[in-house]
């Protein structure tokens, strides 16, 4: 569920960029724009944003706020603070609640899953993989 919330957030961030790629509906505005030569090798439809790239952008921007010791890795405490914050956002969005002990247990399990190389820390690539849904899949 947290991955769904994160991907939904990422898509909302990408939506304005996708909307800017749409052609104007006003025929006068279309006439004012020079015609681009058609190329059969290039698709004309707008491509959806890659969710993995959106997750990577979010991780890149938010990682320094949670990496309190600035070592480029998240230890279990740092990782748990981030995951609890995401879980809190999810619970507010869905109206569901969990007892604090369950949230803590969930964050601990998430850390174990995200720490793919079992180094007792989570790197940016590991976090991106975990949040993109490719960890343990």
């Amino acid at each position: 569920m947290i991955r769904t919330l994160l991907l939904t957030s990422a898509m909302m961030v990408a939506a304005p960029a996708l909307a800017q790629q749409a052609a104007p509906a006003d025929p006068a505005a279309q006439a004012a724009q020079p015609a681009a030569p058609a190329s059969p090798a290039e698709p004309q439809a707008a491509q959806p944003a890659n969710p993995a790239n959106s997750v990577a952008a979010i991780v890149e921007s938010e990682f320094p706020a949670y990496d309190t010791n600035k070592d480029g890795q998240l230890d279990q405490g740092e990782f748990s603070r981030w995951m609890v914050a995401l879980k809190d956002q999810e619970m507010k969005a869905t109206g569901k609640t969990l007892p604090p002990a369950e949230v803590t247990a969930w964050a601990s399990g998430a850390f174990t899953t995200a720490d793919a190389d079992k180094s007792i820390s989570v790197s940016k690539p590991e976090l991106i993989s975990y949040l993109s849904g490719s960890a343990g899949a």
Side-chain angles (χ1 to χ4, degrees):
M1 187 66 146
I2 195 78
R3 292 177 186 152
T4 303
L5 180 65
L6 186 61
L7 290 176
T8 301
S9 299
M11 292 305 291
M12 289 188 328
V13 170
L18 292 174
Q20 291 176 356
Q21 294 176 355
D26 181 18
Q30 287 179 347
Q33 293 179 352
S39 172
E42 295 178 338
Q44 296 300 318
Q47 298 296 317
N50 183 343
N53 288 342
S54 298
V55 170
I58 291 169
V59 168
E60 191 63 38
S61 68
E62 296 291 322
F63 198 93
Y66 291 96
D67 182 17
T68 56
N69 63 3
K70 307 300 182 208
D71 67 350
Q73 306 282 322
L74 298 179
D75 61 31
Q76 188 161 2
E78 294 167 334
F79 178 87
S80 292
R81 278 188 290 284
W82 196 347
M83 293 303 108
V84 167
L86 289 174
K87 190 59 131 175
D88 286 344
Q89 288 177 352
E90 175 189 332
M91 289 188 298
K92 286 177 185 173
T94 62
K96 296 179 181 178
T97 60
L98 288 175
E102 284 186 39
V103 173
T104 301
W106 171 81
S108 179
F111 179 80
T112 301
T113 302
D115 183 18
D117 65 3
K118 305 304 175 206
S119 64
I120 318 290
S121 63
V122 175
S123 64
K124 283 182 186 179
E126 285 175 320
L127 185 58
I128 292 166
S129 177
Y130 172 74
L131 293 174
S132 298
S134 56

